Amino acid sequence: MMSGVVLTAALNAGGAFALDFNFNFSGGGAPTNPATVTGLISGLVDNTNNQTSGLTVTITSATNGPVGGFPLFTNYSFFEGIDVSNGIITDSQILFETNLFNLNLRTGPGNVPSLDAKDFSFTNYGSDNSLVFTPATSSTAVPGPLPLLGAAFAFRASRQLRRRFKATV
């Protein structure tokens, strides 16, 4: 009975996916106009609503970005989070903050994606939201064969223990 539980857990573990998405948006900004921001968001889980934890955002480029580069965004400030359905981001309303940078990833009409810092600001001021998410090719599945091998090992070990226990009784 125990080995069946272990096997079921191992099979379920092999089905989870960590999704990565590239994103970009364009708009007005200082010091340059127009401005373009691109980045990568990692750690999204498929078929979730309002995910706010476990996310990592990296800015890969921005027009005239800061000399020291951009921080890694791992903490969100507020809004609802990110919805993913069948490998597609269906809604994004989340603000990432560090001491000097704010990254606002909001989709939908009337929302304004933006990247703001002390010395520059890039904001999509248009009536149409230009924030676009595209699946990154580096999406990785949780290893499937490894849990299966572990389940097989656990099953074999439990049979050996059972035989030893019967032999001593």
Side-chain angles (χ1 to χ4, degrees), residues 20-21 118:
D20 299 340
F21 288 87
K118 183 179 176 183

Side-chain angles (χ1 to χ4, degrees), residues 56-70:
T56 303
V57 178
T58 309
I59 303 295
T60 54
S61 69
T63 310
N64 286 354
V67 174
F70 293 100

Side-chain angles (χ1 to χ4, degrees), residues 20-108:
D20 299 340
F21 288 87
N22 295 308
F23 67 88
N24 65 70
F25 62 90
S26 300
T32 56
N33 189 8
T36 301
V37 177
T38 62
L40 176 70
I41 185 165
S42 305
L44 288 167
V45 178
D46 202 4
N47 299 316
T48 57
N49 289 328
N50 302 327
Q51 182 179 346
T52 54
S53 61
L55 307 177
T56 303
V57 178
T58 309
I59 303 295
T60 54
S61 69
T63 310
N64 286 354
V67 174
F70 293 100
L72 194 66
F73 295 94
T74 55
N75 296 320
Y76 77 101
S77 177
F78 59 88
F79 298 141
E80 295 176 7
I82 298 178
D83 298 348
V84 183
S85 178
N86 297 319
I88 298 171
I89 293 180
T90 57
D91 189 43
S92 173
Q93 294 191 31
I94 193 164
L95 175 69
F96 293 90
E97 284 188 325
T98 66
N99 290 340
L100 295 176
F101 289 89
N102 292 336
L103 175 62
N104 182 5
L105 295 178
R106 297 182 74 189
T107 57

